[in-house]
Amino acid sequence: MFLTITTTGTHDRPATDLGFLLHKHPDKAQVFRTAQGNAHVFYPEAGTERCTAALLLDVDPVALVRRGRGKGRGGAPDAALAQYVNDRPYAASSLLAVALGGVFSSALKGRCPARPELPEQPRELRVEIPVLPARGGAALVHRLFAPLGWRTVVAEPVALDAAFPEWGDSRYVRLVLEGELRLADALNHLYVLLPVLDDAKHYWVAPDEVDKLLRAGDGWLADHPEHPLITARFLSRRWGLTRQAMERLELVRLAEADGTVVEELDNAVDETHDTEDRPVPLAAQRRTALLAALRAAGAQRVLDLGCGQGQLVQELLKDPAFTEIVGVDVSVRALTAAARRLRLDRMGERQSSRVTLRQGSLTYTDKGLTGYDAAVLSEVIEHLDLPRLPALEYAVFGAARPRTVLVTTPNVEYNVRWESLPAGHARHGDHRFEWTREEFRSWARSVAERYGYGVAFEAVGTDDPEVGPPTQMAVFSLTAPTDHPATGTTGTTGTPGAPETTANTPATTPKEERAV
Ligand code: SAH
């Protein structure tokens, strides 16, 4: 199994940057032991103008069969010959995709600590795979790769036997892709689409495969015209998993339609300003204030809505008083970062039973979010387009209806205190609005009144006598019984102003509601 990646370059942007991007030195030939066999990485050419990296996977067919048998799959002892004599060692398949994922894992994630600017830059790439099994033929290869920005997609059928042309073509093609892309995108395309084309995964597809697909498909799969086929085949046609993945892709599309940038949003500006201005970063002060408010409310089961990369979830986990913590975010990338931060995969059972991360969009009601003590919306509302805010209000205050809701958002008045922030600029590129204290308070009071909550306000960060604190927080406490007219939780049909909603249906709002 063989794959080459070639890039071209100039004196200013040498092709050998490929070595940095792949984290593999162009002067070295390296061998990596993988579960599939030995993976060799070497560079047949490495110059300023052209550089080619090759990945050769030397599959051990005997080990493959033995492992298969050990797992009780595909290992019927009497089908002996077919197991040892097959295309697996030669054809690019899920084996190559898995090796690619292992050997180039940082490159797939777009990480390059030595040269952090490189992964973001598209560059001229040429990928060649001499033997690619393609169930669906060259036509499918085109349908899969062409929508992804590849300028040239060549899928040349490989003859069954060059000496006997009359035997016709095999089910293999020689694949050549050319285009100007970011390397991480190119690798993620291959990671997903090679096994899709082969359509015969060598391993049992477990539920975590849905996460792998969504992670690798971030930014391209949701809108790919062939996403149903890609999803079904990648998940080996396990329909339960396929349905799950399709629903999550639908969420991504809905959020995009809402105008949400499904990106890793990290409050970058806040954090930089903070370190300049004060010893304790504002984000940390915010978490302290949120924790204090949650403790004061006696909350045990907590939702962190728009949890981002999971910093608050991590803090909550440290206090056993919080018995159940659910982080919700629409961004797969943020959730992946959160899972990594929390080391979910290495967490003991006791801890992991306290925490759940789930993908969801907050402008849609979700039955799974009802019955919690408290919900936190920390620096989230300002990421929504104003016209979508009432939908979030309904989903949180009307449908999920926790006893306590904490909402933090920047106080725009404070922006003048940040010297490095140009006048009139929001703190974060994705903020759709930033409110004055008065704007925030009148919004919060109107929400509280409509949904039967009381509301109090707290300052987070130094409360400047003139412009107020950098972050403002509203603490909502449920006062009305659950059959408050605006909530529609009574179960009676036709409640005035109560939109009928089920999980993931748009939470439309009563007519009289307006965003501030
Ligand atoms: N709460 C975190 C992250 C704030 S950044 C903190 O305080 O640091 C805003 C987060 O809200 C992002 O992770 C973004 O993906 C998420 N978000 C934005 N719109 C959303 C929506 N409609 N549904 C769910 N999450 C959303």
Side-chain angles (χ1 to χ4, degrees):
M1 274 188 220
F2 196 56
L3 161 87
T4 56
I5 304 169
T6 303
T7 186
T8 49
T10 57
H11 190 67
D12 297 338
R13 278 186 81 197
T16 44
D17 282 349
L18 187 62
F20 284 106
L21 282 164
L22 292 171
H23 295 243
K24 303 285 175 277
H25 200 288
D27 292 344
K28 278 197 256 173
Q30 289 173 273
V31 189
F32 302 88
R33 264 173 242 300
T34 74
Q36 299 76 41
N38 286 341
H40 302 263
V41 177
F42 54 94
Y43 290 74
E45 57 183 341
T48 309
E49 277 155 31
R50 256 178 84 91
C51 180
T52 297
L55 171 66
L56 184 144
L57 181 61
D58 189 7
V59 172
D60 177 351
V62 176
L64 203 63
V65 174
R66 292 210 176 119
R67 232 191 350 269
R69 186 175 290 158
K71 282 188 185 152
R73 296 195 82 246
D78 45 15
L81 198 59
Q83 291 175 39
Y84 289 97
V85 184
N86 58 39
D87 69 349
R88 297 297 83 184
Y90 317 106
S93 64
S94 60
L95 291 165
L96 184 61
V98 171
L100 192 80
V103 173
F104 297 134
S105 68
S106 299
L108 264 129
K109 291 181 194 122
R111 290 214 210 112
C112 183
R115 300 277 302 279
E117 77 287 0
L118 282 185
E120 282 309 311
Q121 298 167 355
R123 56 185 315 145
E124 186 56 36
L125 296 174
R126 180 180 192 280
V127 172
E128 178 162 357
I129 297 176
V131 185
L132 172 70
R135 214 173 284 271
L140 182 62
V141 176
H142 280 276
R143 290 200 332 258
L144 293 180
F145 285 100
L148 296 174
W150 293 97
R151 190 178 55 242
T152 315
V153 178
V154 178
E156 204 176 73
V158 175
L160 259 184
D161 190 323
F164 300 93
E166 64 277 17
W167 289 2
D169 292 332
S170 66
R171 69 182 185 93
Y172 304 92
V173 298
R174 181 177 79 95
L175 176 74
V176 179
L177 303 168
E178 284 171 357
E180 199 177 327
L181 278 88
R182 299 183 331 154
L183 181 69
D185 292 335
L187 293 175
N188 279 301
H189 298 164
L190 296 171
Y191 177 79
V192 173
L193 297 179
L194 296 187
V196 164
L197 282 162
D198 183 38
D199 201 16
K201 279 211 170 164
H202 68 281
Y203 55 92
W204 176 240
V205 170
D208 69 343
E209 206 75 352
V210 175
D211 291 323
K212 287 186 201 160
L213 173 65
L214 282 149
R215 220 174 297 151
D218 190 29
W220 61 271
L221 182 56
D223 297 318
H224 194 297
E226 294 291 346
H227 71 268
L229 176 141
I230 297 171
T231 307
R233 282 196 180 185
F234 189 89
L235 298 168
S236 297
R237 296 192 178 74
R238 289 195 56 194
W239 296 118
L241 299 182
T242 304
R243 199 171 337 107
Q244 248 181 51
M246 293 289 283
E247 281 170 11
R248 289 175 56 180
L249 289 171
E250 178 66 12
L251 279 178
V252 173
R253 276 190 299 276
L254 288 170
E256 282 170 354
D258 275 359
T260 305
V261 181
V262 187
E263 271 297 308
E264 193 168 326
L265 301 166
D266 53 10
N267 290 331
V269 180
D270 279 7
E271 304 271 3
T272 17
H273 281 289
D274 300 338
T275 39
E276 282 166 21
D277 289 356
R278 65 196 77 243
V280 184
L282 183 56
Q285 295 186 49
R286 221 164 16 230
R287 287 191 287 274
T288 307
L290 288 164
L291 280 164
L294 288 171
R295 288 186 186 122
Q300 298 186 319
R301 303 178 62 234
V302 178
L303 301 168
D304 184 6
L305 305 176
C307 63
Q309 300 177 26
Q311 290 94 333
L312 180 66
V313 173
Q314 190 173 33
E315 289 296 312
L316 289 167
L317 267 173
K318 290 182 192 154
D319 183 345
F322 301 110
T323 54
E324 192 183 334
I325 305 148
V326 180
V328 181
D329 205 287
V330 74
S331 157
V332 183
R333 213 182 296 175
L335 290 171
T336 307
R340 207 181 305 128
R341 169 187 305 277
L342 300 171
R343 298 175 183 270
L344 273 190
D345 51 340
R346 269 171 275 171
M347 203 179 258
E349 211 170 299
R350 259 174 79 119
Q351 282 292 77
S352 67
S353 66
R354 289 171 60 211
V355 61
T356 315
L357 296 179
R358 55 190 280 182
Q359 195 186 9
S361 178
L362 301 172
T363 48
Y364 297 84
T365 58
D366 180 345
K367 288 206 179 88
L369 302 184
T370 54
Y372 283 83
D373 298 329
V376 174
L377 285 157
S378 165
E379 308 297 282
V380 172
I381 57 170
E382 65 275 12
H383 290 273
L384 270 78
D385 284 334
L386 268 179
R388 296 299 290 152
L389 199 52
L392 174 141
E393 292 160 18
Y394 179 73
V396 175
F397 295 90
R401 233 169 147 62
R403 270 196 292 117
T404 304
V405 182
L406 308 177
V407 178
T408 77
T409 194
N411 163 23
V412 71
E413 296 168 75
Y414 191 88
N415 288 4
V416 293
R417 291 284 180 270
W418 272 322
E419 276 153 24
S420 44
L421 195 67
H425 272 243
R427 295 183 204 175
H428 190 290
D430 192 46
H431 286 180
R432 304 307 158 92
F433 57 87
E434 285 179 351
W435 278 335
T436 62
R437 283 167 293 174
E438 195 36 52
E439 284 168 323
F440 180 54
R441 284 171 191 204
S442 72
W443 169 80
R445 287 194 188 108
S446 127
V447 171
E449 194 185 322
R450 270 178 283 139
Y451 291 103
Y453 282 76
V455 64
F457 299 95
E458 283 181 31
V460 180
T462 320
D463 198 352
D464 184 287
E466 218 176 302
V467 296
T471 297
Q472 37 188 351
M473 174 157 83
V475 181
F476 296 83
S477 316
L478 191 65
T479 53
T482 44
D483 61 351
H484 188 270
T487 66
T489 51
T490 50
T492 50
T493 48
T495 310
E500 247 181 63
T501 50
T502 54
N504 295 334
T505 47
T508 50
T509 43
K511 278 202 190 62
E512 70 272 18
E513 288 178 24
R514 262 182 305 112
V516 176

